[in-house]
Amino acid sequence: MEMDPGTFDKQTLKQFLGLGVNRVSLGVQSFNEDFLKACGRSHGLQDVYEALDIITGLNVSNWSLDLISSLPHQTLEHWEECLREAIGLSPAHVSVYDLQIEEGTKFGVWYKPGHHPLPDEDKSASFYRLASSLLREAGYEHYEISNYAKPGFQCRHNMVYWKNQPYYGFGLGATSYFNGKRFSRPRKLKGYADFVELCINQSSDNFSANEEYLSFYSNTVESVEDRVCDTIMLSLRLASGLNLNELSKNFGHELRVHICKSFLPFINSGHAVAVDSKFKTVPPDTFSTALSEQSASKVLKDVIFIRLTDPDGFLLSNEIISSLFTDLPIK
């Protein structure tokens, strides 16, 4: 369950735990009072520590905290203090996000990306590198582009999303994915109440196929190109990277070879690496030679994963993924 400081007390959390909640994700964002105000948070630093006392007091060992970098007026020194405070609290999991400015929001009116007092791209990259360095040194695995975990505490439900596996979502506007389709539940309370009422009144035998039931959903059927793009984009968020065996199994060997060729410039630049079946890095020269042969060589067949490097590959992930999408042979 995601919870924000100042929105719950000990009794509330105790009741949630009694209902089966076994993990708490706490939206801390910063350990600096001024930065909490700058990013529009409703809670203060006292709320943060009170929330942490509640969580630890109820012996919740599986808890995560969220942090945001690139806040207005934030320096590298400020960010290091925040990271070290988080590490000292020893959460099982840490999520680190770079501030994103959305047009049409109050924050988007107040600030413009790259304009003072917001850090520029180079400084934001420095924030990312520092987080990767300090958290890994403290024993956290950088298992996903924005997430770090102690061994055994990777976020299981998010791993389902990043591996593009099916899931059900419940609640207003919740999205589900199954049978190659994405479904969104009603976003407004009245529509959702009508949807729930219909579910109650339908028998389990026919309600999933009922047209009236499905009319409450907005749904899209994914094309092959959509599935390929989702697989590439989501897999490259993970430290393990893109599984080429799975890619071949689902979309064919020719796409596997094409993707390998598209990755070659990034492997040569050090932003990506190829990994073989023994989890050893394939040297760029060996990888390049295998691609130059007219038929795929054993070396190429033995490449099981292609992953982005940490931190430089992750930092360039949007550009790399965009390049791969532009070059896809599936239209």
Side-chain angles (χ1 to χ4, degrees):
M1 173 171 282
E2 293 191 8
M3 310 181 81
D4 286 336
T7 64
F8 65 96
D9 56 21
K10 184 175 182 179
Q11 183 60 27
T12 302
L13 180 55
K14 190 174 182 180
Q15 290 175 331
F16 283 133
L17 296 174
L19 291 171
V21 171
N22 61 4
R23 182 179 186 274
V24 174
S25 179
L26 192 66
V28 172
Q29 317 309 355
S30 177
F31 288 100
N32 182 295
E33 196 80 65
D34 292 333
F35 293 145
L36 286 174
K37 293 177 181 178
C39 63
R41 307 306 296 182
S42 59
H43 65 264
L45 203 52
Q46 182 176 344
D47 296 318
V48 169
Y49 288 110
E50 288 178 356
L52 291 170
D53 285 342
I54 293 170
I55 290 171
T56 55
L58 290 173
N59 297 317
V60 179
S61 60
N62 189 358
W63 65 279
S64 175
L65 61 81
D66 294 353
L67 299 175
I68 297 180
S69 63
S70 299
L71 293 170
H73 301 291
Q74 191 175 38
T75 66
L76 207 57
E77 290 73 24
H78 290 139
W79 182 229
E80 181 173 351
E81 290 174 4
C82 182
L83 290 167
R84 292 196 183 281
E85 180 69 13
I87 291 168
L89 293 166
S90 194
H93 187 280
V94 180
S95 296
V96 178
Y97 302 108
D98 194 58
L99 177 67
Q100 299 297 312
I101 307 295
E102 302 290 343
E103 289 187 13
T105 64
K106 288 185 177 179
F107 215 89
V109 174
W110 296 341
Y111 305 111
K112 299 298 179 185
H115 292 188
H116 188 75
L118 292 181
D120 59 23
E121 288 187 1
D122 288 341
K123 184 169 287 187
S124 293
S126 297
F127 289 148
Y128 188 87
R129 289 190 174 94
L130 182 62
S132 177
S133 174
L134 290 181
L135 287 166
R136 286 190 291 160
E137 284 176 7
Y140 290 88
E141 298 173 350
H142 192 181
Y143 73 97
E144 193 271 344
I145 197 166
S146 300
N147 289 276
Y148 303 78
K150 291 183 177 179
F153 285 94
Q154 294 181 353
C155 183
R156 287 161 57 187
H157 75 92
N158 275 344
M159 289 295 287
V160 169
Y161 308 147
W162 295 320
K163 291 183 177 180
N164 210 24
Q165 297 171 342
Y167 56 88
Y168 288 106
F170 301 92
L172 292 173
T175 300
S176 302
Y177 176 55
F178 52 92
N179 293 335
K181 295 182 180 180
R182 298 193 185 275
F183 297 86
S184 296
R185 295 178 185 244
R187 293 184 175 276
K188 295 186 178 180
L189 190 57
K190 175 63 169 62
Y192 195 83
D194 292 342
F195 161 76
V196 172
E197 185 68 25
L198 180 62
C199 291
I200 293 171
N201 292 333
Q202 295 292 322
S203 71
S204 60
D205 293 333
N206 64 8
F207 109 125
S208 63
N210 185 285
E211 290 185 6
E212 186 180 1
Y213 162 79
L214 290 175
S215 70
F216 279 95
Y217 276 117
S218 63
N219 69 85
T220 56
V221 180
E222 288 194 314
S223 66
V224 174
E225 183 183 10
D226 290 335
R227 290 171 55 214
V228 170
C229 289
D230 284 346
T231 299
I232 293 171
M233 176 181 66
L234 296 171
S235 296
L236 290 178
R237 291 186 63 91
L238 294 170
S240 55
L242 179 63
N243 187 322
L244 296 174
N245 282 351
E246 289 295 318
L247 192 75
S248 293
K249 178 182 175 181
N250 294 324
F251 306 109
H253 181 70
E254 289 185 4
L255 181 62
R256 177 189 189 133
V257 176
H258 178 88
I259 291 296
C260 285
K261 290 180 178 178
S262 297
F263 261 110
L264 184 57
F266 304 110
I267 288 176
N268 287 335
S269 67
H271 291 94
V273 293
V275 180
D276 66 18
S277 57
K278 296 179 181 179
F279 299 100
K280 293 184 178 180
T281 299
V282 178
D285 289 347
T286 304
F287 185 75
S288 178
T289 300
L291 285 173
S292 66
E293 298 177 4
Q294 291 190 2
S295 59
S297 68
K298 181 183 181 302
V299 173
L300 185 55
K301 290 179 181 178
D302 197 41
V303 174
I304 307 301
F305 292 95
I306 294 183
R307 61 178 180 82
L308 302 184
T309 55
D310 180 9
D312 290 339
F314 278 152
L315 280 169
L316 202 65
S317 61
N318 287 341
E319 291 81 356
I320 293 173
I321 292 169
S322 294
S323 174
L324 295 173
F325 286 177
T326 300
D327 198 35
L328 276 179
I330 301 170
K331 299 299 179 185

